[in-house]
Amino acid sequence: MSYLFNTPEQQQQMLQTIGVDSLEALFATIPSDLRLDRPLDLPPALTEMELQKHFSNLASQNVGPGDRVCMLGGGAYDHFVPAAVDEIARRGEFYTAYTPYQAEASQGSLQTFFEFQSLICQLTGMDVSNASLYEGGTCVSEAAFMAMRVTNRHNRVVLLGSLHPEYRQVVETYLKHLNCEVVIVPCKDGSVDPADVDAAMDDQTACLVIQHPNFFGTLEEAAELTEIAHRYGALSVVSYDPISLGILSRPGDYGTDIAIAEGQSLGTPLQFGGPYLGLFSCSEKFVRRMPGRLIGQTVDRNGKRCYVLNLQAREQHIRRDKATSNICSNQGLIAIRAAVYLSLLGKQGIREVAELSCQKAHYAADQLTSVEGIELLFPERPFFKEFAVSCSEGADYLLRKARQAGFDLGPELSRFTFENNPESYQTAVLVAITEQRTREEIDRLVTALKA
């Protein structure tokens, strides 16, 4: 590896320093069957010019949302990203900024994160937001742990069966080696029955986790479910779609204790599945139990407004047994994108994006179900911008025929594991319609499926 600067003499000096005779002795603890006993099987070296052409050829095989019509759902969505989001977020002051531990050298970043927190509070109706977490899945787990700390109930959490299956798997992974029962309330006909939720709750439950709109795109009785959680002394945790709050009630308006979300739809493209953004907000009375960082506003010794990291209860800063989380970073750059996006659109813009997505999704559902063999999986349930359809010829047939016409639908429900796995799920796919889709595109898809 000639690009590493270690000469044989330097390697020998390092080995002597750590008390090892040779590289072979250094790696002796690694089992022989796990060690490569031959040179790496690599092609011949390329010049810089050849390497650039090689990468260009590889990149040309990628297909992005701009090359086809994207109607993919399941947690990441093809919303429009204004050019100003890229222009501002890519400024060197933001793009290369380090974690703002030194407030005196990070006022720009700290102010931006403070604005981000303020915008999330306005969007959700919650009292306080942190400076972001990793993504939507870990937000659910962090919310469950926070609820355990708040309620001092560590042995039971209840999740709706309509929660994103991957979010549920993350929770189960986090709790696997803890003495905590994860109760799943079955999802019937696209949403849960509040009576079933009430039956699953007890006075040892730390929290009830609700997704609204849920994984299937349909709406839950979030306010009623929140009341049920409070009746048993548990916290209500709501995972929401940020765009949906342009027309749906905000979590804070119906008494949610912790509001969480995947923030990708706020100014971040699909970009191969990440990095994305975790949104986490809560009631003020729980702020000292909240994971992650909290940026605060104060004044300096001259009385001028300034910003500081005033809550960062992580195990790097305090005793591990007192830490609220082992989250050791956040998605600062993606949070800046969300802040710019929300600032550009404003309250009216978010409402318009939500209305367009909802209207176009319902038009698409009406048109798709006019195709013989395609029907809504949950025809009686209201939905926002995403819905599930079943195809009598099978999910693979529907996806393949749409793909041949230049449309990407999905994912298919058979990819996921559910608490109850009806046969109808095996032939169903999700379809998500954002404000970017047009009537002409939807009609063209329907024509192709009818052909």
Side-chain angles (χ1 to χ4, degrees), residues 126 143 147 151 158 201 205-211 221-231 233-239 251-252 254-260 281-283 286:
M126 303 299 289
T151 62
V158 176
M201 299 291 291
T205 302
C207 65
L208 171 64
V209 179
I210 306 158
Q211 186 172 358
E221 300 292 344
E224 182 178 353
L225 296 174
T226 293
E227 291 179 3
I228 292 173
H230 291 165
R231 195 183 306 152
L235 298 194
S236 166
V237 177
V238 173
S239 176
Y254 49 83
T256 297
D257 299 298
I258 305 173
I260 53 179
S281 53
C282 68
S283 300
F286 304 137

Side-chain angles (χ1 to χ4, degrees), residues 10 33 35 38 60 71 125 129 172 184 207 230 249 258 328 331 389 447:
Q10 290 171 326
D33 58 330
R35 294 167 62 182
R38 57 171 175 76
S60 67
M71 297 181 178
S129 165
E172 291 172 342
I184 311 297
C207 65
H230 291 165
S249 296
I258 305 173
C328 58
Q331 294 293 60
V389 295
T447 299

Side-chain angles (χ1 to χ4, degrees), residues 100-120:
Y101 291 130
Q102 294 176 277
E104 66 276 12
S106 307
Q107 284 300 290
S109 296
L110 288 169
Q111 179 176 352
T112 305
F113 295 141
F114 182 83
E115 299 292 353
F116 164 79
Q117 293 172 176
S118 302
L119 288 163
I120 297 303

